[in-house]
Amino acid sequence: MKKLLQKISIVLMALLMFASANILAQELNVSGKVTDDAGQAVPGANVIEKGTANGTVTDAEGHYALNVSSANATLTVSFIGYKSMDAVVGGRAVVDFAMQPDVSSLQEVVVMGYTSERRADVVTAISQVSALNTVAIPQGDIGQALQGRVAGVQVTTSGQPGAASQVRIRGFGSFTNNQPLYIIDGVPTFDNTQINPYDVESQTILKDAGAASIYGARAAAGVIVITTKHGKYDGKTNISLDVNTGVTFPGNGISKLNPQQQANKVYEALRNTPGGTATNQPYGPDLNNPVLPDYIDVGIPGKGNVGNVMAGDPRIATALANYNVDPNNGQLIQVIQANKAGTDWYKAMTRTAPTTRVSFGLSGGNDKAHYYTNFTYFDQQGIAINQYLRRFSARMNSEFKPIKGVKVGENLMLTYRENPFVSGSSGNQGTNNGSGNTSDENALNLAYRMPTIIPVHDVNGNWAGTQAPGFNN
């Protein structure tokens, strides 16, 4: 029995020694060098045996050394700004890595003045709007792309096609100019209305006083740095076609009094006014019984116009016999019948407005040159008739590297624009400046001041105009 146990012990020891030797034989020391796409060393790169916590870091010259568990182990190398790489050891003692830049990671930079920085390194208050968000909604002004997308930035607009947006960064800081400074590809300006949204790569908003250290007093109201699109040295050709359409609805407007209701209120006000009288008023001589006239404007040949004419008046026939709406032919003589049902001036002036945008782009490049071309047609009809923005835009740029360290290129932008406005103050943006002068208001504002008894057309189907003797319009 004793001899049997000794034999078993010897066999177990032999098996243990064999297993240990086998384990030791499976361990492998691997070394190598990590470089970038230009062959330069990458110090501080992480080299890890995949699926384990076994790893190391490259030294200042990009070298590493690591014991792996087996000849079939997989090494993973990673570094910020580069794509992670895997390699099977396969029994090799030397495994080198040539890392490639991670383009999507490199795009996470922001332009600040004359430099660009990684977002993680920026300590000032900035925000960025991408190219995708800039063209997400069809608009003629790239400032509208900031609306609701950037904290601390307020964007207001009249809604007129082509009207410049009022952009305010962190409120109002001055009694004069609160418009931010725009830096478009390094060129300062206060006007961004000519930029085609499809040509914008990104918009970076510099919100705090740090911008003033670069651009001075002009940056007091903030800075918006606009970077336009260019080709890339990536050996690829990119073709894009984007077609976008939509409609804008004007809504129902505000309900107004019909002509009889308005007449009742006018005479009620006169009854409650000391000395109030119906003399020279359009609704008859009885303050307690306002009566709507049948005709509000009848031209008298050789004289002027009279209003508040009832049906059967002989002056109506005379005016029709001498009817004239051409000022080149002498006195204007019209017959304008009262619209006793009431004219909805807002509805008469507005419409459902379509918007169409078509953009075609071509870009590409190689290691020696790149190019970018874009053509865009934009047609935005306004909700007010005869109001629209029609714009044809073309942008072309290219860059060449004839010799090392030298770049030659050009940047060309062409724009043709048709943009009739509905007149108004505040730079023709259609807002009232609060002066109380009705000439400051646009036509849509005046639609609510117009008495509803005035029709759109006269009895012969021509435009009636807004003049109605005796009515306060």
Side-chain angles (χ1 to χ4, degrees):
M1 185 66 181
K2 185 176 181 180
K3 291 182 178 181
L4 180 60
L5 292 174
Q6 289 177 345
K7 290 180 179 181
I8 293 174
S9 300
I10 292 172
V11 172
L12 291 174
M13 290 179 64
L15 291 174
L16 181 61
M17 292 175 63
F18 177 78
S20 300
N22 188 43
I23 293 173
L24 290 173
Q26 287 180 347
E27 290 184 354
L28 183 65
N29 183 272
V30 181
S31 62
K33 186 176 182 180
V34 179
T35 59
D36 59 17
D37 57 333
Q40 300 296 318
V42 180
N46 294 315
V47 183
I48 299 176
E49 181 181 354
K50 195 171 185 178
T52 71
N54 181 28
T56 185
V57 177
T58 57
D59 60 18
E61 297 180 352
H63 293 104
Y64 76 93
L66 182 66
N67 287 327
V68 296
S69 60
S70 72
N72 295 321
T74 299
L75 295 181
T76 299
V77 59
S78 61
F79 189 72
I80 296 175
Y82 292 86
K83 296 179 179 179
S84 297
M85 297 183 63
D86 291 342
V88 178
V89 175
R92 294 176 293 172
V94 177
V95 179
D96 294 330
F97 293 89
M99 305 189 73
Q100 296 296 319
D102 187 350
V103 176
S104 62
S105 176
L106 292 178
Q107 288 178 345
E108 288 297 317
V109 298
V110 291
V111 179
M112 294 192 60
Y114 307 110
T115 65
S116 61
E117 301 182 28
R118 289 191 310 142
R119 183 182 293 275
D121 295 336
V122 175
V123 295
T124 57
I126 68 167
S127 296
Q128 192 174 58
V129 177
S130 66
L132 182 62
N133 288 331
T134 300
V135 298
I137 301 174
Q139 70 248 327
D141 174 23
I142 63 173
Q144 295 176 29
L146 306 177
Q147 191 168 19
R149 298 184 185 276
V150 181
V153 176
Q154 295 81 39
V155 181
T156 57
T157 178
S158 69
Q160 289 204 65
S165 299
Q166 292 185 350
V167 180
R168 298 294 179 260
I169 299 176
R170 291 190 171 175
F172 294 79
S174 170
F175 288 106
T176 54
N177 184 20
N178 288 282
Q179 188 77 358
L181 175 68
Y182 294 93
I183 306 296
I184 304 175
D185 288 338
V187 179
T189 179
F190 285 96
D191 181 16
N192 68 342
T193 57
Q194 302 301 324
I195 295 294
N196 176 17
Y198 270 100
D199 292 332
V200 175
E201 183 70 35
S202 66
Q203 296 188 74
T204 302
I205 299 90
L206 312 182
K207 303 178 185 178
D208 61 13
S213 64
I214 304 171
Y215 301 107
R218 293 179 298 175
V223 177
I224 298 178
V225 181
I226 299 174
T227 304
T228 60
K229 293 179 181 178
H230 294 74
K232 296 180 173 58
Y233 296 107
D234 57 4
K236 298 179 181 179
T237 299
N238 301 296
I239 300 175
S240 64
L241 176 64
D242 186 273
V243 180
N244 194 302
T245 187
V247 294
T248 303
F249 298 97
N252 296 323
I254 301 175
S255 298
K256 294 184 63 177
L257 299 176
N258 63 40
Q260 188 62 59
Q261 291 172 330
Q262 184 172 6
N264 295 339
K265 290 298 181 181
V266 169
Y267 274 25
E268 180 182 352
L270 289 174
R271 291 196 302 270
N272 293 324
T273 302
T277 175
T279 304
N280 298 324
Q281 293 298 324
Y283 304 117
D286 187 355
L287 280 180
N288 295 310
N289 184 29
V291 177
L292 299 179
D294 293 325
Y295 294 85
I296 59 174
D297 192 3
V298 175
I300 304 299
K303 298 181 180 180
N305 291 18
V306 295
N308 316 320
V309 177
M310 304 306 291
D313 193 306
R315 292 175 294 185
I316 299 173
T318 303
L320 288 174
N322 296 274
Y323 183 87
N324 175 44
V325 292
D326 186 354
N328 296 319
N329 295 332
Q331 178 187 345
L332 295 177
I333 300 176
Q334 284 182 280
V335 176
I336 301 176
Q337 190 173 12
N339 184 2
K340 296 184 179 182
T343 301
D344 187 340
W345 280 100
Y346 181 79
K347 185 176 181 180
M349 296 171 56
T350 58
R351 61 184 172 178
T352 299
T355 299
T356 302
R357 183 177 64 187
V358 180
S359 179
F360 174 77
L362 178 66
S363 65
N366 53 34
D367 59 342
K368 296 296 184 181
H370 68 67
Y371 62 90
Y372 169 84
T373 302
N374 181 272
F375 300 94
T376 299
Y377 168 70
F378 182 75
D379 185 356
Q380 182 182 13
Q381 299 294 315
I383 61 170
I385 58 176
N386 300 321
Q387 172 201 33
Y388 61 87
L389 169 63
R390 188 174 294 122
R391 183 176 63 198
F392 299 85
S393 302
R395 190 177 190 89
M396 293 158 277
N397 60 62
S398 62
E399 189 175 272
F400 304 90
K401 295 180 178 179
I403 59 177
K404 186 177 181 179
V406 176
K407 293 182 180 180
V408 179
E410 94 291 333
N411 199 335
L412 176 65
M413 182 182 73
L414 302 174
T415 301
Y416 174 77
R417 174 185 176 118
E418 296 178 359
N419 188 204
F421 272 95
V422 172
S423 62
S425 64
S426 301
N428 233 9
Q429 296 176 48
T431 56
N432 192 330
N433 64 10
S435 67
N437 187 349
T438 57
S439 63
D440 291 328
E441 300 183 57
N442 63 36
L444 292 178
N445 298 136
L446 294 175
Y448 296 114
R449 294 178 178 268
M450 193 68 58
T452 58
I453 196 172
I454 301 176
V456 177
H457 301 96
D458 66 13
V459 295
N460 283 348
N462 292 297
W463 299 115
T466 60
Q467 296 301 315
F471 289 91
N472 180 16
N473 54 18

